Amino acid sequence: MKTTLFLLLPAVLLLGSCKKSTDKQAELAVQDFVRNRVSDAANYFPGKFKLKPYTKRDSLLYLAELAQINGAPAPPAPTAADTARIGILVRHDYRDEMRDGEMIRDSGEYVVRPNGEVRLLMAESVRQKRLKQVQQQSVGALR
């Protein structure tokens, strides 16, 4: 019995290691997404990845910020039930070498859905900057 177990264990470990982790799949999906949008795919050099779960609540808060920036009606407010994970938020920085040899450092925020679909988000730093501008404009309009 022990011999069978010792032979079976390596096989199970080998099969388990062949499947890429969800986080690694998200990184690869973002790499493909970015590589297809840079100046030349051969000149895309991936940097760091930061991943965290992305929930329906996160999505509704993001849409609310965009609505405020654009002066559009806000989506429904998140509820306690909106904690279901709907993807992975990936913050990724990379280098893109232009055809003239100029190197550009850039970054982006993406949501990778369970089906592998990648969506580009407006970076949090840009959203916060634009929200401040909108809030300053509304305060200025009240004066």
Side-chain angles (χ1 to χ4, degrees):
M1 179 71 179
K2 287 184 180 180
T3 306
T4 307
L5 182 62
F6 284 120
L7 293 175
L8 188 58
L9 184 62
V12 170
L13 291 174
L14 181 62
L15 288 174
S17 65
C18 291
K19 186 172 181 339
K20 293 184 176 83
S21 72
T22 305
D23 288 353
K24 189 64 176 171
Q25 288 175 339
E27 287 180 13
L28 292 172
V30 169
Q31 281 186 23
D32 288 343
F33 184 86
V34 174
R35 186 176 285 117
N36 290 324
R37 286 162 179 75
V38 294
S39 62
D40 184 354
N43 294 331
Y44 160 71
F45 303 97
K48 295 180 182 177
F49 291 89
K50 293 181 182 172
L51 292 83
K52 74 176 204 174
Y54 193 75
T55 65
K56 185 174 180 183
R57 175 183 173 75
D58 297 327
S59 180
L60 289 171
L61 293 173
Y62 173 79
L63 292 173
E65 288 179 347
L66 289 184
Q68 186 177 358
I69 290 168
N70 296 318
T79 66
D82 292 330
T83 58
R85 183 174 174 168
I86 60 173
I88 299 174
L89 175 66
V90 180
R91 290 185 174 99
H92 173 48
D93 64 58
Y94 57 91
R95 293 179 296 129
D96 179 15
E97 185 176 334
M98 306 302 282
R99 289 185 176 94
D100 63 3
E102 182 181 350
M103 188 69 73
I104 296 174
R105 296 183 64 81
D106 204 351
S107 63
E109 293 181 11
Y110 311 87
V111 172
V112 180
R113 304 277 183 186
N115 66 1
E117 176 187 355
V118 178
R119 294 208 175 159
L120 174 65
L121 299 182
M122 181 187 295
E124 183 178 0
S125 59
V126 175
R127 285 195 317 272
Q128 296 308 317
K129 182 178 177 183
R130 291 188 182 172
L131 280 170
K132 283 182 184 176
Q133 289 173 346
V134 168
Q135 291 167 349
Q136 289 171 352
Q137 288 172 353
S138 64
V139 168
L142 293 175
R143 291 182 186 179

